[in-house]
Amino acid sequence: MVLNLVKMITMANMLSMFILMEVVAGGFRFGVDGLRMDYYIMSCPFAESIVKSTVNRALQDDPTLAAALVRMHFHDCFIEGCDGSILIDSTKDNTAEKDSPGNLSLRGYEVIDDAKEQLEDQCPGIVSCADIVAMAARDAIFWSGGPVYDIPKGRKDGRRSKIEDTINLPFPTFNTSELISAFGKRGFTAQEMVALSGAHTLGVARCSSFKNRLSNADATLDSEFAKTLSKTCSAGDNAEQPFDATQNTFDNFYFNALIRKSGVLFSDQVLYTTPRTRNIVYGYAMNQAMFFFDFQQAMVKMGKVDVKEGSNGEVRQNCRKIN
């Protein structure tokens, strides 16, 4: 009887070990074929905490970087997919995405560099720059008062970064139909487009991106707010205007501004003036919790746009250059 009990315990231990091996092996196998929430749990268990602490330190020193990190993630994903291509520096033989006119105002690269350096010390060659950008944007949103949510990891870094590809970025002069088309090409609905536009609750716009609204009679622009924008632009094209009254806080004030005809960019205000999207804007202005929920869902979806996996990408040692 004792012998049988020993055999049963031995078989149970072997079965447990087999199951564990299958889980581990299956996890790594799935990590190649698809993104996972726990992608780094075995290979670099402190990856997320390192990124979060790095982002938090940076934002404590400069809260305006929250908007910059969110914008960086968006600009990365909209060009060639979420592959960290926005981080690559230009060379004598190639002008990279970051030197496109639409990307020259991007900031926060040093935050990504800082996180990457720490991660390379802890787990060399494991955590991609694309994942760091995605995690940094998520952590910046939460730090600013926005929703807390998890994102799947496992993106690989791309090997291409060319200025000509930035033509795919939405322009601040786009009307609603153009916005719906641009986002639709990447699989987003009109509602998801409006939710993602809500990221403009953080940050500022430069005069050069909205001054055309002042030289032309813009019926969608509140006359008093037009005076505010004109005063901002009196300081030059690089003068900055907050998107809403709480530029470092993630909330729904942006949508309330649109209802008051106080959207800074033309592409912001048309979301309310166009019947197709007006009710979405109104809903988010009245219900912040609904905006938060839809925004986090859309952000997770955006983080999956055209990701590179397996041999289609790499894990850069330095985020600013291809291995």
Side-chain angles (χ1 to χ4, degrees):
M1 185 171 180
V2 174
L3 185 60
N4 288 339
L5 182 61
V6 171
K7 287 181 177 179
M8 289 174 64
I9 293 173
T10 301
M11 289 179 66
N13 287 340
M14 290 177 65
L15 181 60
S16 298
M17 183 62 69
F18 178 77
I19 292 173
L20 178 61
M21 290 172 66
E22 281 295 297
V23 169
V24 173
F28 283 114
R29 194 163 53 240
F30 186 58
V32 173
D33 299 332
L35 305 183
R36 287 187 53 184
M37 296 296 186
D38 62 348
Y39 185 82
Y40 295 114
I41 194 167
M42 299 294 291
S43 57
C44 193
F46 299 110
E48 299 216 39
S49 61
I50 288 173
V51 173
K52 185 174 183 178
S53 62
T54 303
V55 169
N56 288 353
R57 281 196 308 272
L59 296 185
Q60 285 166 5
D61 291 338
D62 182 3
T64 67
L65 281 172
L69 292 171
V70 176
R71 186 165 173 244
M72 181 188 294
H73 182 40
F74 177 83
H75 281 230
D76 184 37
C77 293
F78 240 69
I79 309 167
E80 290 293 303
C82 308
D83 63 355
S85 55
I86 192 66
L87 306 172
I88 295 175
D89 287 339
S90 294
T91 65
K92 63 178 182 179
D93 300 318
N94 178 64
T95 304
E97 294 171 18
K98 63 166 54 172
D99 288 321
S100 161
N103 286 332
L104 288 177
S105 60
L106 288 181
R107 300 186 301 127
Y109 295 112
E110 71 282 356
V111 181
I112 308 302
D113 291 339
D114 186 4
K116 179 62 172 176
E117 185 177 345
Q118 295 177 64
L119 289 165
E120 284 299 303
D121 286 341
Q122 289 286 325
C123 357
I126 298 297
V127 183
S128 69
C129 301
D131 273 349
I132 296 173
V133 171
M135 288 187 280
R138 174 202 60 189
D139 295 338
I141 289 164
F142 179 62
W143 189 93
S144 304
V148 57
Y149 59 96
D150 198 6
I151 58 170
K153 276 74 67 178
R155 301 163 190 79
K156 290 294 188 290
D157 296 322
R159 301 184 180 96
R160 172 189 173 96
S161 183
K162 294 187 176 294
I163 189 172
E164 56 263 32
D165 295 335
T166 61
I167 193 67
N168 295 319
L169 284 172
F171 287 87
T173 54
F174 272 14
N175 60 35
T176 306
S177 295
E178 290 170 318
L179 288 170
I180 290 174
S181 175
F183 279 79
K185 289 176 182 176
R186 287 153 186 80
F188 294 102
T189 65
Q191 178 154 353
E192 290 168 335
M193 179 271 290
V194 176
L196 289 172
S197 297
H200 280 176
T201 186
L202 295 173
V204 298
R206 293 186 176 184
C207 172
S208 56
S209 63
F210 59 79
K211 67 179 182 180
N212 62 305
R213 302 184 69 196
L214 304 175
S215 56
N216 302 317
D218 190 338
T220 68
L221 182 61
D222 176 76
S223 58
E224 288 302 311
F225 189 60
K227 294 177 183 177
T228 299
L229 296 183
S230 294
K231 184 178 180 182
T232 298
C233 285
S234 66
D237 280 0
N238 289 328
E240 296 175 339
Q241 174 67 39
F243 283 113
D244 65 23
T246 56
Q247 70 177 81
N248 295 325
T249 302
F250 196 95
D251 51 33
N252 66 341
F253 281 29
Y254 163 80
F255 294 106
N256 284 280
L258 301 188
I259 292 175
R260 298 192 307 271
K261 298 172 68 175
S262 297
V264 176
L265 303 179
F266 178 76
S267 57
D268 290 325
Q269 193 58 55
V270 291
L271 299 178
Y272 186 68
T273 56
T274 304
R276 182 172 177 182
T277 50
R278 180 181 300 146
N279 287 338
I280 304 172
V281 171
Y282 187 79
Y284 290 156
M286 297 299 105
N287 190 333
Q288 181 169 278
M290 181 171 70
F291 163 51
F292 276 19
F293 179 79
D294 287 353
F295 178 82
Q296 68 186 49
Q297 297 286 102
M299 282 293 285
V300 171
K301 182 175 179 177
M302 187 182 77
K304 299 177 182 177
V305 171
D306 294 334
V307 297
K308 311 296 187 295
E309 299 175 84
S311 60
N312 291 325
E314 63 184 17
V315 175
R316 289 186 216 129
Q317 294 178 333
N318 179 340
C319 291
R320 293 174 179 263
K321 60 182 182 180
I322 299 167
N323 289 346

